[in-house]
Amino acid sequence: MSPTGPLVIKIGGSTLGSADTTFRDVAALANSGEVPIVVHGGGAEASRWLEAMQIPARFERGLRVTDERVLPVVVAVFAGLVNKRIVAAINAAGASAVGLCGADGRTLECRLADPDLGFVGEPVAVHPEAVTALHAAGIVPVIGPIGFVPGKETDQLVNINADTVAGNLAAAVGASRLVFLTDVEGV
């Protein structure tokens, strides 16, 4: 990690999967020695999968209501499909990337944000050791917006707003800059 802190880039909106230069630019940064930390969303992809599975998508105050039917889909899409597509694109562009979500390494510890939202987390602590270890090794960490609420037997997975993830992670790693690449207004 550079003395001024890493660059954190949040990728979301229609920039995910678009034919722009985002992933090549991330790889170029990494190869120049400024290894960024990438946080991503993927709400549109989650909505497509929910629709295909005939599970209604609901939003309150801009957040996806995440009940017991929605949670497995958003975990699979954010921590799996979208995360691995981004990792594959950065790797293909010539850098080394590894995908994680906030439950990996217990990175994003949360509390339930609001009972009306279901399994939506609000970060209460960031434990960035896994992210900073990858970053220090010159590997681009790619973080999906899934966190955890500590449990006695097992941790509860939760959906987290990706902009919130980016802000909390940037603060925890002492980021030099936080850049949002999105077409969503009001960030």
Side-chain angles (χ1 to χ4, degrees):
M1 197 169 1
S2 67
T4 59
L7 166 65
V8 175
I9 303 170
K10 191 277 183 164
I11 301 173
S14 69
T15 56
L16 282 171
S18 65
D20 67 13
T21 63
T22 300
F23 303 126
R24 287 191 306 273
D25 294 343
V26 166
L29 280 168
N31 290 329
S32 75
E34 187 176 359
V35 178
I37 296 170
V38 174
V39 175
H40 66 82
E45 185 74 22
S47 292
R48 281 192 289 279
W49 278 90
L50 289 166
E51 183 179 332
M53 298 177 79
Q54 300 180 344
I55 300 172
R58 290 187 13 246
F59 292 85
E60 291 194 20
R61 300 180 306 282
L63 298 173
R64 183 184 304 276
V65 175
T66 308
D67 62 20
E68 61 281 340
R69 292 181 66 208
V70 173
L71 182 64
V73 177
V74 298
V75 170
V77 170
F78 296 155
L81 184 62
V82 173
N83 187 275
K84 299 315 169 204
R85 282 180 181 162
I86 293 170
V87 166
I90 294 169
N91 287 340
S96 180
V98 171
L100 305 168
C101 73
D104 294 316
R106 298 185 98 201
T107 300
L108 291 166
E109 183 177 339
C110 297
R111 68 174 183 82
L112 291 177
D114 179 338
D116 293 338
L117 296 173
F119 298 106
V120 171
E122 181 176 296
V124 296
V126 179
H127 310 283
E129 294 81 8
V131 174
T132 56
L134 288 168
H135 182 265
I139 299 168
V140 178
V142 178
I143 315 302
I146 299 297
F148 74 97
V149 174
K152 291 181 193 220
E153 298 294 321
T154 186
D155 291 341
Q156 173 62 58
L157 296 176
V158 290
N159 180 14
I160 312 171
N161 176 279
D163 296 329
T164 302
V165 171
N168 278 268
L169 189 58
V173 300
S176 61
R177 290 171 287 160
L178 171 58
V179 177
F180 289 86
L181 300 178
T182 184
D183 64 345
V184 177
E185 293 183 27
V187 174

